[in-house]
Amino acid sequence: QLVESGGGLVQSGGSLRLSCTASGFKLDYYAIGWFRQAPGKEREGVLCIDIADEITRYDHSVYGRFTISRDNAKNTAYLQMNSLKPEDTAVYYCAADYGPSCSGYEWDQDYWGQGTQVTVSS
């Protein structure tokens, strides 16, 4: 399973770091994606990191603000979010896709976390 942590309430311009820790399997062999679902909207991909640490950005609004990384020794992936905006408010999910490459498709993901709420106040 995957467990996210690090969400919360932050003021506009602030930062948060989300963590995604796997148990029961090794993240080494999985591409890790972060998705988010804003109120009233569908879930969408944000960033993904593959097993070679290549990054795919699905949401261009996070360019220069969000960074994805992974630490296979800790079986954990991270989403560093800086310069947060109210429009970043959403439930954030991490997902693991077995294989070398990133996929932004929800149906390709093998594991999902339970989600963590991020709220950015103006």
Side-chain angles (χ1 to χ4, degrees):
Q1 63 175 354
L2 293 173
V3 178
E4 299 108 336
S5 62
L9 173 65
V10 64
Q11 288 189 333
S12 181
S15 298
L16 285 173
R17 187 177 81 156
L18 307 183
S19 299
C20 171
T21 301
S23 62
F25 66 99
K26 292 289 293 179
L27 280 183
D28 306 49
Y29 309 111
Y30 291 78
I32 306 300
W34 284 95
F35 295 74
R36 65 184 179 182
Q37 187 168 21
K41 296 186 177 181
E42 294 186 352
R43 187 160 55 185
E44 59 183 11
V46 180
L47 289 168
C48 178
I49 184 168
D50 69 15
I51 63 172
D53 289 347
E54 293 291 324
I55 294 170
T56 301
R57 185 174 63 248
Y58 300 114
D59 186 340
H60 297 292
S61 73
V62 307
Y63 179 75
R65 302 188 299 123
F66 289 14
T67 304
I68 188 171
S69 62
R70 63 192 299 159
D71 185 339
N72 289 341
K74 295 182 178 180
N75 223 24
T76 299
Y78 304 95
L79 182 67
Q80 177 67 45
M81 305 185 294
N82 299 327
S83 302
L84 282 161
K85 304 175 180 180
E87 51 264 43
D88 295 317
T89 294
V91 178
Y92 284 72
Y93 300 87
C94 65
D97 176 15
Y98 183 78
S101 303
C102 284
S103 166
Y105 296 110
E106 294 192 27
W107 55 81
D108 280 340
Q109 312 306 313
D110 298 292
Y111 296 94
W112 286 91
Q114 81 285 358
T116 186
Q117 177 71 47
V118 171
T119 303
V120 185
S121 63
S122 57

